[in-house]
Amino acid sequence: MSSLPQPLRLRREVSPLELFYDLVFVFAVSQLSHHLLEHLTWRGAAETAVLLVAVFGTWAYTSYAATFLDVHRQVTRWMIVVVMGLGLFMNAAIPGAFDDRAWAFVIPLLAILFFAGAVTALAIRTDALREHFRRTLIWMAASAPLWLAGAAVGSGPRLWWWAAAALIGVTGTWLAHPLPGRTLSSRELAFDAEHMLERLRLFFIILLGETVLTAGRAMSEAPVDVPSVLATAGVFIALVCLWAAYFGGGENVITTAVATTTDPVRSVRLGVNSAYLVLAALVALAVGSELAIAHPTEHGSVTLAFLLFGGPVLYLATTAWFFGTTTGGTWKERLLACLALAAAGVAAVWLPPLASLTLLDLILITTALTLTRTHQRLTNSLKTATTD
């Protein structure tokens, strides 16, 4: 057995209130997809990325705070309800955030960050965590003037102000909000890592479900003919394969690895950090799927190929990094699939969308079957290692 000290572990079930809260941010995914679909340019992609970082950052921060505070405390439950209401207004403003609804987006965003930050800094029960969440408020204060300045200027320069603000926010999340000489020692924290990973797992399922709904909406607007039906079936198969690429034993690998690590908070941080890119991948795939279903037999394009294949490439590359850094395994199979998808994406520029979906499905089916077997072997290996 390992002689390394084990951190104090807690375990709480994900509450119905937390799942209810997630629905507001599933609405955000739909809004982000719609924004990208309406602005299929590099600038539109950059705007979508900035909004995605801001929106998911609020979800990540509030979910962390609720896990540290304990969702069964009254103060935590009220915090989640208030943030959920503010999030509804923020997410409703996404389509017009770079037009005439900048303030409608920024005011709820900053209200969420400072309200949740203040509640957590005051209500948390240990000195180390109170210090950490005070540092978090300093990072938020550093980005707030940039969000406000962006809302005050025209839509052209707004992207640059908000991109700088989003960069501060995501950097703080990735680095655990350090200040010079003051950092969080995660190995010494009592943290319900299993709870937070379960939050991420369930949130991911809901995000995949939203992508399924996007395909359904596109199908309802497309002609009822064989090409459209086959395109919708192809999108559905791709989503099932992406689901299986993680849930075909992958969650068991992560759970086993986290249960035996001496630093569970690090594993959760890696999971949250990777979720930004996974969310971006699903937004790209949702938009590509909608285009493919609407025009299954037309000529291919660089834009469609980039969305339809780039989304799964980003998804698999991100999860390869997460699995590699967390468990040390199953990353090679994912990277090989990325190479195959990249090659198919080049060919898809000249193929009709229906043929591109066929290629996509063949690669993803092979990847999902391979990863299911690999996950089982790695889980057994990790369990064996903990008993030696």
Side-chain angles (χ1 to χ4, degrees):
M1 297 287 286
S2 173
S3 60
L4 292 173
Q6 293 294 316
L8 175 63
R9 295 186 184 276
L10 311 169
R11 186 66 178 98
R12 303 184 186 96
E13 296 296 327
V14 174
S15 72
L17 179 59
E18 290 173 295
L19 295 176
F20 188 34
Y21 167 75
D22 288 350
L23 294 178
V24 171
F25 291 89
V26 173
F27 169 52
V29 177
S30 176
Q31 295 283 74
L32 290 167
S33 300
H34 179 73
H35 181 81
L36 180 58
L37 183 63
E38 294 296 315
H39 303 83
L40 277 177
T41 64
W42 286 112
R43 180 182 174 87
E47 291 176 354
T48 304
V50 166
L51 296 171
L52 183 151
V53 167
V55 168
F56 184 73
T58 62
W59 180 91
Y61 180 79
T62 308
S63 299
Y64 261 125
T67 302
F68 274 117
L69 286 172
D70 181 2
V71 73
H72 298 296
R73 292 176 64 186
Q74 197 68 17
V75 65
T76 311
R77 299 174 75 84
W78 276 112
M79 180 189 74
I80 291 175
V81 170
V82 171
V83 169
M84 185 165 60
L86 290 170
L88 184 62
F89 284 98
M90 175 184 69
N91 296 334
I94 286 174
F98 282 93
D99 294 317
D100 59 349
R101 304 191 71 181
W103 290 108
F105 178 79
V106 162
I107 290 174
L109 168 67
L110 295 179
I112 290 172
L113 294 176
F114 284 103
F115 171 73
V119 169
T120 310
L122 293 171
I124 206 76
R125 286 171 169 164
T126 68
D127 291 338
L129 286 173
R130 274 193 293 271
E131 169 68 16
H132 169 69
F133 283 104
R134 286 171 189 151
R135 291 199 305 272
T136 302
L137 283 170
I138 293 174
W139 277 79
M140 293 175 182
S143 67
L146 300 174
W147 287 113
L148 295 172
V153 301
S155 58
R158 182 175 301 151
L159 175 61
W160 301 106
W161 287 99
W162 282 5
L167 181 61
I168 292 174
V170 76
T171 302
T173 300
W174 284 354
L175 300 180
H177 300 99
L179 290 178
R182 299 153 71 188
T183 58
L184 181 69
S185 180
S186 58
R187 286 177 179 268
E188 300 173 3
L189 292 178
F191 181 66
D192 191 352
E194 289 84 357
H195 176 93
M196 190 62 191
L197 287 173
E198 180 74 359
R199 294 280 286 113
L200 282 169
R201 187 178 76 91
L202 294 174
F203 190 61
F204 173 51
I205 291 176
I206 294 174
L207 293 179
L208 280 172
E210 168 56 32
T211 313
V212 172
L213 292 177
T214 298
R217 285 194 298 270
M219 179 62 183
S220 69
E221 296 172 0
V224 183
D225 54 24
V226 172
S228 297
V229 171
L230 290 177
T232 305
V235 170
F236 178 73
I237 291 170
L239 291 172
V240 170
C241 290
L242 291 180
W243 172 88
Y246 179 82
F247 292 99
E251 77 277 21
N252 295 330
V253 176
I254 297 299
T255 301
T256 304
V258 170
T260 57
T261 183
T262 59
D263 192 0
V265 179
R266 175 181 177 273
S267 299
V268 172
R269 279 182 53 217
L270 294 175
V272 171
N273 293 347
S274 66
Y276 283 91
L277 297 177
V278 168
L279 177 54
L282 291 178
V283 168
L285 179 60
V287 174
S289 299
E290 192 161 350
L291 292 173
I293 292 171
H295 310 286
T297 58
E298 293 187 4
H299 295 294
S301 67
V302 173
T303 299
L304 179 60
F306 188 80
L307 293 168
L308 207 56
F309 289 85
V313 166
L314 181 58
Y315 170 84
L316 289 171
T318 302
T319 54
W321 171 78
F322 177 54
F323 275 80
T325 54
T326 305
T327 71
T330 75
W331 59 272
K332 294 179 182 178
E333 294 84 354
R334 287 175 164 83
L335 290 185
L336 287 173
C338 288
L339 293 175
L341 286 168
V346 173
V349 174
W350 294 277
L351 295 174
L354 195 55
S356 297
L357 281 170
T358 302
L359 270 179
L360 179 67
D361 288 344
L362 289 174
I363 295 171
L364 291 181
I365 289 170
T366 303
T367 302
L369 292 174
T370 302
L371 286 174
T372 299
R373 293 193 297 269
T374 307
H375 288 153
Q376 183 60 54
R377 288 198 300 269
L378 183 55
T379 301
N380 294 336
S381 176
L382 290 171
K383 287 180 178 179
T384 301
T386 61
T387 60
D388 290 341

